[in-house]
Amino acid sequence: MIQHLTEALVPLLSLILLGAILGRKTDFFDGKALAGLVTTVGIPALLLHSVLSMDMDIFGMGALVGITVAWLVVMAMVTALLLTLAGLPVRSYLPALVHPNTGNMGIPVCFALFGPQSLGLAVVISSVIQVSHFTLGIGCLSGRFSIRAMLKNGPVLALIAGAFLLATNIRPPGPVMITLDMLGSITVPIMLMQLGSSIANLRLSGARDMLRPLVFSLYRPLGGLALAWVLLLIWPLSAMEAQVFLIQCAMPVAVMSYVLSVRYQGPSQEIALTIPMSLLVSLGIAVIFALFA
């Protein structure tokens, strides 16, 4: 059990720590080039290869997309209600509290806990969350959203392509699959190091009130996990799909929420402080899954 836990989490924490050190000492993660490489090449390749490699038909993928969309809708409604009752601005806090970090945290965690067979499932869920960032996230913070930007999103296009190939039962030739595998393999390590660099470089000096970020850091993973569990009672999935879904819904506040909050003058300092705090809660949940799942 200890060995299983170590094998699952030490690689993740090591790459996050390495990213934090490199983010402080070097300029490797400065600018948009590396992030653009992962977004436009790595994640789409990983998604397409994983979808085509996993034992899932178009209807199975549709069920996973459907339950993720349902979770997003209900999570947004519950969160909006709680923010209203607390007297907090819904548009400012809703995206951060709804969207989990299913990308550079959720995908590696699922891979570590459940193996390569979970990658396709994790990436499908993450792609739905990315679409929500471009709709619910930007829509709340800016008052508008761009369909054109969503349709240009690499993971979204890869998800559509994968669904088409599954529906038509078309299998790309071996060299194409090997190429996709090689391109997708760069994604998980870079995403983890980017996460460490982002956390290491957050400016937290402006955060005066610790109570609100603490509550947010507990609500995001635990609230998301609880709602996912309730949905699974009425929307059953396979054992692997259910475990991946639960883990993805229990991930911490997304770094993208911080980026969007800075861009659209939201409560960026509170969200910045919530990211590492919610990360600890999510890692605790991952530990429990590693020990008992």
Side-chain angles (χ1 to χ4, degrees):
M1 184 178 297
I2 298 298
Q3 182 180 358
H4 183 201
L5 178 62
T6 301
E7 291 176 351
L9 296 181
V10 167
L12 301 180
L13 298 177
S14 298
L15 286 173
I16 291 173
L17 178 60
L18 177 60
I21 295 173
L22 293 176
R24 283 289 191 181
K25 302 295 185 181
T26 73
D27 59 355
F28 293 165
F29 301 102
D30 293 349
K32 300 179 180 179
L34 188 58
L37 177 65
V38 172
T39 302
T40 60
V41 177
I43 293 179
L46 176 63
L47 171 59
L48 191 54
H49 180 270
S50 299
V51 168
L52 295 175
S53 300
M54 64 186 178
D55 186 19
M56 177 184 290
D57 57 21
I58 184 63
F59 299 105
M61 189 171 73
L64 196 58
V65 170
I67 194 174
T68 305
V69 171
W71 178 86
L72 280 168
V73 171
V74 179
M75 186 71 179
M77 294 173 61
V78 171
T79 303
L81 175 61
L82 293 176
L83 288 171
T84 301
L85 293 175
L88 297 174
V90 174
R91 284 176 51 183
S92 298
Y93 293 104
L94 184 67
L97 295 179
V98 169
H99 295 132
N101 190 344
T102 54
N104 53 5
M105 190 63 194
I107 292 173
V109 167
C110 290
F111 178 79
L113 292 178
F114 310 122
Q117 66 271 22
S118 68
L119 269 179
L121 306 173
V123 177
V124 167
I125 295 172
S126 182
S127 298
V128 177
I129 300 299
Q130 286 202 37
V131 173
S132 186
H133 273 299
F134 284 96
T135 53
L136 177 66
I138 293 179
C140 281
L141 290 169
S142 69
R144 65 185 188 279
F145 70 92
S146 172
I147 296 179
R148 179 180 298 179
M150 183 182 71
L151 293 178
K152 290 182 179 179
N153 186 265
V156 175
L157 295 176
L159 183 62
I160 294 173
F164 172 77
L165 293 174
L166 284 178
T168 56
N169 200 28
I170 297 175
R171 175 76 177 183
V176 174
M177 292 295 290
I178 293 174
T179 301
L180 290 173
D181 186 28
M182 292 176 67
L183 290 173
S185 296
I186 70 173
T187 305
V188 172
I190 292 178
M191 290 167 73
L192 281 172
M193 288 188 287
Q194 281 183 313
L195 176 62
S197 176
S198 298
I199 293 175
N201 287 288
L202 291 176
R203 298 180 180 178
L204 305 178
S205 57
R208 298 179 180 178
D209 186 1
M210 290 290 293
L211 179 60
R212 188 180 297 170
L214 176 60
V215 173
F216 288 167
S217 68
L218 292 171
Y219 174 77
R220 161 79 290 288
L222 296 177
L225 178 65
L227 181 56
W229 178 78
V230 171
L231 275 179
L232 286 173
L233 296 178
I234 58 177
W235 194 319
L237 300 175
S238 69
M240 175 62 71
E241 291 171 346
Q243 288 180 319
V244 171
F245 179 63
L246 288 170
I247 282 292
Q248 287 287 57
C249 292
M251 287 296 99
V253 174
V255 176
M256 177 62 74
S257 295
Y258 169 74
V259 173
L260 293 177
S261 184
V262 171
R263 180 176 179 182
Y264 295 105
Q265 292 78 50
S268 57
Q269 290 302 315
E270 283 185 311
I271 293 175
L273 184 57
T274 305
I275 290 175
M277 295 169 68
S278 61
L279 175 61
L280 294 176
V281 179
S282 295
L283 287 177
I285 294 173
V287 167
I288 293 174
F289 267 80
L291 291 174
F292 302 108

